Amino acid sequence: MMAITVRRCVVGAYVAAGAATVLYFLALDLLGTRLRDVSAGLGAPRASLQRAQAALAADPPEREQAAVDAAAALRADPLLRDGHKTLAQALAGADPVASAALWAGAARFARDSEAQVVALQTALAAGDFAGAVDRIDRLFRGQGAGRWGAVSQALLAVLLAPEAVEPLAARLDERPPWREALLAVAAARLQDLDGMKAFFLAVDRRPNRLTDDEARPLLERLLTAGRYGDAYAIFLARLPAARIESMGYLYNGDFRHPVTNLPFDWVFTRTRDALIDVRRTWGAQLPPVLRVDFFGSRIPFRHVSHLLALPPGAWRFRGLEHAVALNNPRGLRWRVACVGRTEPLGETQLLSGDVEWRPFAMDFEVGPDCPFQWLELELPARVALEMDVSGGVAYMDLAIDPLSQTSLLQ
Amino acid sequence: MRTLVASLLFIVVAAPASAQSATCVKVGNAVCGVTTEPRVAATTGDVRVSRGGSFARAMDGSSLAVGDRIFIGNGGGAVRLGPCNVDLKPYTVVLLAPGGGGMCVASLSGEAATRDQALAPMQLQSSVAVASAAPVTLPASAVQRQPVLAAPLPPPAPARQPAIGDRSVSAPPAPPAEVTQAPGSYQPDPYRGLIGQAPNPVTPPAGVLAGTSGALMAAGLAIAVGAGAAAALAVSSKNEKEQTASP
């Protein structure tokens, strides 16, 4: 009897478990149906927004219908991406105030570049340059350097207006990822050279000064415009105090400082036919040496130069030279000439063959109508055959000393 | 009365200019004053004087000599030529030279316009060109863009069966439709927003799928449980019969 009772209990438990399982899965299925309804509800605002966007894209745009659909989408989901923007576009003609407010709302989406452009435009129109710089930062942070290439000349001009320069320089001082690109675009495309100079100098006055690469376009633009004096002043302003107080008439003539390739320092122009560099012998107490090695090809060599600002007077260019199997029909020489003129003020004697270290010097005279001069190392080839060159040369301890000084304006 | 007012206005407006021209003389691109002891004055920043090629810092009252170059860095300064005070703008280099019956300050520049700009008495306004503060009107294409979602996607590339020994690289995916851009205008990224903007509203969440399949499983389980219960009942009744039949 006991066994029968046990078996009935087991059977009852089986039945109860089965019923519970069925009820559980039925409840789950019911919940799934409910979730499907919820999902369909979530998709409704997006579908409504798509209808609004399609209405705006129609030709002619159906702005009223677009406004109705976009408003419905926003009512269902106030944080719907592109919702504010679409409604702002739909209301652009009918209600400019509401449209502007909606654009401001859309601009809260930091990655919505279209909304950021409108916000930038609004900030500039209101003279809010700090706000405009904020928008610029949002627009270009993380979007890559290429974006700046599409910035219009007018926008650049306004951004670099005197009132905007300091906020922009302050932001650039934080080294945003778009700093280099903005400086490059400004240097290449800004037509107002004085505005460009003011902007670059504002950046240079900040703790994170312009690097040599960032300053080079400004100096080159000034030279191209014939404003050598401005370029010279900016070059001087960028030198450390200790260096400007001991620079002499030929800056870095002993190659003690790294060559910057900036005007008024040595400029080594890259070429595949020669290797130009400054070699330092650490620990040997030897001064740095300028080496030029030629690879045996034909090259119209004028790839080492230095811009000078010598006052009028008589001068001597001197140094030490050395040649190793320098094979060329003529040889190498240094040449000084006034900027913008072809006739030389002076030339050194030609160097070729094998020459041990020896001193050299060249005297020349600078007139009052020659405020800036070029010093160049050149291969004075008269025909193409004379450009074939191999071997190498080296120079050290270069300097320019005054022999006398005539007065200006006399 | 009108004549009197006009005369007074002329005196008020012209007086400073007369005083200026009386002390400073413009000779070519230089400003000259009658003095034999030119000095540095009103330094407000980095002002240096070059003698011998290098630039040494100058203070107010530092004496100058013919041939000196005066460099004004970040800040400002002036050169006093007797009664003539020549203000110098930041980031300029000027020369001191004899002329005009005294001493002259001339800008060290290759361009005449710059030479004039560097000399403050002739250039009262800042050299920075004041750009118009008028709002910039961006092109309509930059602001009113066609909705990204409405742009048609490129057609899928036809599948190609590779031949044996075919080492050619499979064709790259077709690029997105090219977006025309007005030159010099800012164009928002046409590809931005394509990702994550078109969720499929008919795709049910994973829980719903689980629920549907769960119902099928429940049905199968119920059948299995029912069959088990029936078998148990059958065994139980058989055992009862055997017990009742036994003596």
Side-chain angles (χ1 to χ4, degrees), chain A residues 122-323:
Chain A
T122 307
L124 288 174
D128 175 15
F129 292 104
V133 170
D134 274 344
R135 297 301 168 189
I136 286 285
D137 193 38
R138 289 190 185 195
L139 261 174
F140 293 100
R141 191 175 281 274
Q143 285 212 14
R147 281 277 159 225
W148 275 103
V151 170
S152 68
Q153 178 69 226
L155 179 58
L156 264 183
V158 173
L159 274 179
L160 303 184
E163 304 91 335
V165 159
E166 285 304 327
L168 193 55
R171 186 59 55 94
L172 287 175
D173 192 43
E174 298 167 8
R175 292 208 164 273
W178 43 271
R179 169 180 164 126
E180 192 181 336
L182 169 63
L183 291 170
V185 167
R189 295 177 46 196
L190 206 61
Q191 288 164 359
D192 172 16
L193 200 49
D194 285 318
M196 175 184 167
K197 180 184 159 190
F199 168 57
F200 274 66
L201 291 177
V203 177
D204 200 45
R205 281 192 293 268
R206 299 274 169 179
N208 278 318
R209 304 188 63 175
L210 292 174
T211 63
D212 291 337
D213 285 339
E214 289 169 344
R216 187 173 299 110
L218 170 66
L219 295 176
E220 288 175 351
R221 280 282 304 273
L222 288 169
L223 294 191
T224 304
R227 295 172 59 166
Y228 285 77
D230 284 354
Y232 186 45
I234 291 171
F235 174 78
L236 292 176
R238 291 176 48 76
L239 290 180
R243 210 175 289 182
I244 195 173
E245 287 167 4
S246 61
M247 60 185 286
Y249 288 104
L250 179 62
Y251 171 74
N252 205 10
D254 55 4
F255 306 102
R256 189 191 320 167
H257 312 297
V259 172
T260 61
N261 280 312
L262 289 174
F264 301 101
D265 189 5
W266 292 105
V267 174
F268 298 164
T269 308
R270 281 177 181 269
T271 171
R272 61 180 182 180
D273 298 317
L275 177 65
I276 308 163
D277 65 346
V278 173
R279 300 190 187 169
R280 299 165 198 279
T281 314
W282 301 109
Q285 303 299 319
L286 292 174
V289 172
L290 166 65
R291 279 290 304 253
V292 182
D293 290 303
F294 297 98
F295 303 145
S297 49
R298 183 170 292 182
I299 173 175
F301 185 80
R302 296 175 72 180
H303 292 65
V304 176
S305 61
H306 197 303
L307 189 56
L308 308 170
L310 298 174
W315 300 91
R316 173 168 292 167
F317 172 53
R318 61 171 176 81
L320 293 171
E321 64 184 9
H322 173 48

Side-chain angles (χ1 to χ4, degrees), chain B residues 171-195:
Chain B
E178 189 177 347
V179 178
T180 56
Q181 182 174 328
S185 66
Y186 172 73
Q187 183 77 23
D189 191 348
Y191 307 118
R192 184 168 292 281
L194 276 176
I195 300 169

